[in-house]
Amino acid sequence: MKFARFLKGTQSRIGIVNADDNAIRPLHVDLNDLHDLFGRNDLQSLVATAGDEIALKDVQLQAPIIPRRNIICVGKNYRAHAKEFATSGFEAGAVKGAEIDEFPAVFSKPPSTVIGTGATVELHPGATSSVDYEAELALVIGKAGRNIPAEQAFDHIWGYTIINDVTARDRQRNHKQWFLGKALDTFCPMGPWITTADEVRSNDLQVQCWVNDELRQSASTSDLIFDIPTLIATISAGLTLQPGDVIATGTPAGVGIGFTPPRFLKSGDEVSISISGLGTLSNRFE
Ligand code: MG
């Protein structure tokens, strides 16, 4: 099942998406947010009583979830990307020959970065002149847990979505720690919806990213250095993951700083990210 949040008039609603028909059916329950669906075992009956189909082109999709805590992100989790980043000049403290980390690099983006598909990403001239894209598979936690063993990790995942981990490369480099380069308003497009975990084989999904009509990134999640169970076990060690937490799994090679000279985003660019079975997330930069 694919659940989305959308605007109908001025009201935000939750709906079930029929991706084949490009349509959505509003749920007939008063839900503020997808958080209200976690732990419910009556999803099938909620869906069965949903309203009539509305064409997706006639609604405004919003970010499928409003995170209550920072989005947890993993850096340098595809080999070719770790190498392009280390040699780009934008990785503070990069050491030649040590591009692949022994432990995952983890940082976060505040909830204020999150926008939906179709919304505009701000380029923030004055704060940065090097805005870049990062296509990523993200997972949504549905069941709380601390010290989650890798072999139980999938029990805690409710669904999957796409994020664009938009990054101000100059701030990422200059401030040593990545938060300031990753945390600018609108820097986390998310969506178009969340696909429930039962429909997703997350260890072999194709991640693709286009800037305007040019394919820039194309890789499989089978290439992750640290796989999803390892990430959940690592992150939840001593840190209780909560339902609604979003974990982004890292980006493949092909970002703007992978080119010589770097190809940063400019006003009017459109970045579209598709992941097998999860839909397409598209945002214009301005
Ligand atoms: Mg990233």
Side-chain angles (χ1 to χ4, degrees), residues 256-271:
I257 51 165
F259 294 89
T260 308
R263 299 172 72 179
F264 296 120
L265 294 169
K266 55 188 192 308
S267 185
D269 281 344
E270 176 102 11
V271 177

Side-chain angles (χ1 to χ4, degrees), residues 73-76 81 107 134-136 163 165 167 178 182 248 250-251:
C73 302
V74 178
K76 303 197 288 176
H81 171 67
F107 61 96
E134 294 191 354
E136 306 198 11
I163 75 145
D165 175 18
T167 306
W178 294 4
K182 299 281 193 176
T251 200

